[in-house]
Amino acid sequence: MPDSNRARALGVDAGVMSPGPLNAITDVPGVLVGQVTLIDGSDIRTGVTAILPHGGNIHSQKVPAGFAVGNGYGKFAGSTQIEELGEIESPVVLTNTLAVGAAMEGVVRWTLRQPGNERVRSVNAVVGETNDGILNDIRALAVRPEHVLRALEAAAGGPVAEGSVGAGTGTQAFGWKGGIGTSSRRVPLAGEEYCVGALVQTNFGGILSIAGAPVGRALGGKELPDESLLLGADGSIVIVIATDAPLSDRNLSRMARRAFLGLGRTGSPMTNGSGDYSVAFSTAPSVRRCRAATARTASTAEIANDAMSYLFLAVVEATEEAIYNALFCARGMSGHRGTLDALPRERALEILRHHRLLADWPA
């Protein structure tokens, strides 16, 4: 069942485009998501979120992809090969900063087990991270390769759990509890309808804005931003964009860059100590065929440059709403080095109502 605390369910409408039926990255045909949440004692608050472009052999049925860096204070394994070849050959796995190695091992083991990969000798494991060290004893190295395998094996379509789950179990956003969030947009284009989906792992700061309202300033009792509002704003976000539109890796890279506009709408300045990364891929069968391991030539129809703007807008809106969903769905949590409270939803909604930005405000 969809979470009733999702932003749209509470009247927050980010943008002008319509969401898909689930308002999730899994609205993109073939995309699967699996998550493992690790909560143990008073110190372990972490996990794994895995995004699969399709349910087949990703290594032999690669998908075109693009990658972008907003601010590079972080780690994104596999990024150089994405930039070089314009494709991904593994699931995209998100976890905590010190678990990147374990996650890569899990992805490699999972890939080597896939039927047809018996002779594979190289795997470009795609792993992103944020640092959940406030709530999680990150030095305990709680995430192991078997947790990644569990997340991959649990991957499915349908609704995606949000908030304090998976790789977002111990993370924050704007000083409140954050986590995993997702959203999607329908894109009518040249007589066809495509879908763009976003999934985010939030762990960043800034001065929260929701649908244009200065929520962070109002909740902090500040009329104007000052240095205190940006204390602790360093952090990271990983944004995963999926679409079924037939796109080249070049235009997927352009889409990946637009995700940071959605991030900026929420109030992040992408601070000096923030690792802000975006990866985008296409599941369209036509462009996947060109990436098959047996292909020797590549030729297919793709969306033209002049038709990309609607897809760009879909990325911006889906990213923005995914971040709101991470915030609205997360529950407050105590852990290793303190407590992160949930966003005070009712106060935030009252601020939005004051600015006539909720769907239920009177005409």
Side-chain angles (χ1 to χ4, degrees):
M1 291 292 292
D3 193 321
S4 60
N5 289 320
R6 300 188 84 194
R8 189 170 292 265
L10 295 171
V12 181
D13 190 355
V16 298
M17 303 184 81
S18 298
L22 297 172
N23 195 15
I25 196 171
T26 46
D27 283 323
V28 178
V31 174
L32 311 174
V33 175
Q35 304 193 80
V36 168
T37 299
L38 298 177
I39 296 177
D40 187 17
S42 60
D43 291 323
I44 302 302
R45 307 282 187 271
T46 193
V48 176
T49 298
I51 304 97
L52 282 65
H54 58 79
N57 186 328
I58 303 170
H59 191 273
S60 63
Q61 301 171 43
K62 300 172 175 61
V63 296
F67 178 73
V69 181
N71 191 70
Y73 193 90
K75 300 101 186 122
F76 197 102
S79 61
T80 56
Q81 189 165 316
I82 297 172
E83 292 179 315
E84 182 69 24
L85 301 182
E87 63 194 22
I88 59 176
E89 63 184 29
S90 83
V92 179
V93 169
L94 310 179
T95 189
N96 76 58
T97 302
L98 297 188
V100 171
M104 292 179 70
E105 181 178 341
V107 171
V108 168
R109 289 186 178 278
W110 182 85
T111 301
L112 295 181
R113 291 179 185 178
Q114 302 304 300
N117 290 352
E118 291 79 11
R119 303 182 71 175
V120 167
R121 297 176 61 189
S122 175
V123 178
N124 187 46
V126 179
V127 178
E129 56 78 27
T130 70
N131 194 312
D132 56 15
I134 295 175
L135 297 181
N136 179 49
D137 181 4
I138 196 168
R139 291 171 57 91
L141 304 178
V143 174
R144 305 304 306 148
E146 54 265 30
H147 298 125
V148 179
L149 289 167
R150 278 172 46 197
L152 291 167
E153 290 161 1
V160 177
E162 296 170 288
S164 308
V165 296
T169 300
T171 65
Q172 61 91 24
F174 299 103
W176 289 288
K177 185 69 186 72
I180 296 296
T182 188
S183 183
S184 70
R185 290 295 184 273
R186 293 169 166 160
V187 184
L189 194 60
E192 302 285 342
E193 182 175 274
Y194 300 108
C195 182
V196 171
L199 183 144
V200 300
Q201 177 195 18
T202 73
N203 197 46
F204 65 96
I207 304 167
L208 176 62
S209 176
I210 299 179
V215 174
R217 282 163 50 185
L219 290 176
K222 305 287 186 180
E223 292 301 319
L224 293 172
D226 63 16
E227 184 179 355
S228 67
L229 278 173
L230 280 176
L231 288 176
D234 286 349
S236 300
I237 185 171
V238 180
I239 306 166
V240 182
I241 302 295
T243 184
D244 59 346
L247 296 173
S248 65
D249 54 275
R250 179 180 56 81
N251 272 330
L252 286 163
S253 294
R254 298 176 76 201
M255 287 180 69
R257 290 197 293 273
R258 266 60 178 195
F260 300 125
L261 293 174
L263 173 62
R265 283 187 177 186
T266 69
S268 168
M270 294 195 296
T271 59
N272 178 70
S274 191
D276 305 314
Y277 300 99
S278 176
V279 61
F281 60 81
S282 171
T283 67
S286 59
V287 292
R288 281 173 51 188
R289 282 193 293 272
C290 294
R291 303 284 174 168
T294 56
R296 290 297 176 265
T297 60
S299 177
T300 186
E302 62 180 67
I303 301 296
N305 290 342
D306 285 346
M308 287 297 299
S309 295
Y310 290 103
L311 293 165
F312 293 158
L313 178 59
V315 169
V316 174
E317 290 192 6
T319 301
E320 179 185 9
E321 187 167 345
I323 292 168
Y324 298 152
N325 283 334
L327 265 169
F328 277 93
C329 293
R331 65 186 187 277
M333 186 179 290
S334 296
H336 181 57
R337 295 170 54 207
T339 297
L340 287 172
D341 294 325
L343 175 75
R345 282 189 292 266
E346 293 306 318
R347 292 174 61 199
L349 293 172
E350 186 56 39
I351 295 163
L352 290 165
R353 190 170 291 110
H354 172 76
H355 287 276
R356 299 169 65 87
L357 291 170
L358 280 190
D360 64 350
W361 57 261

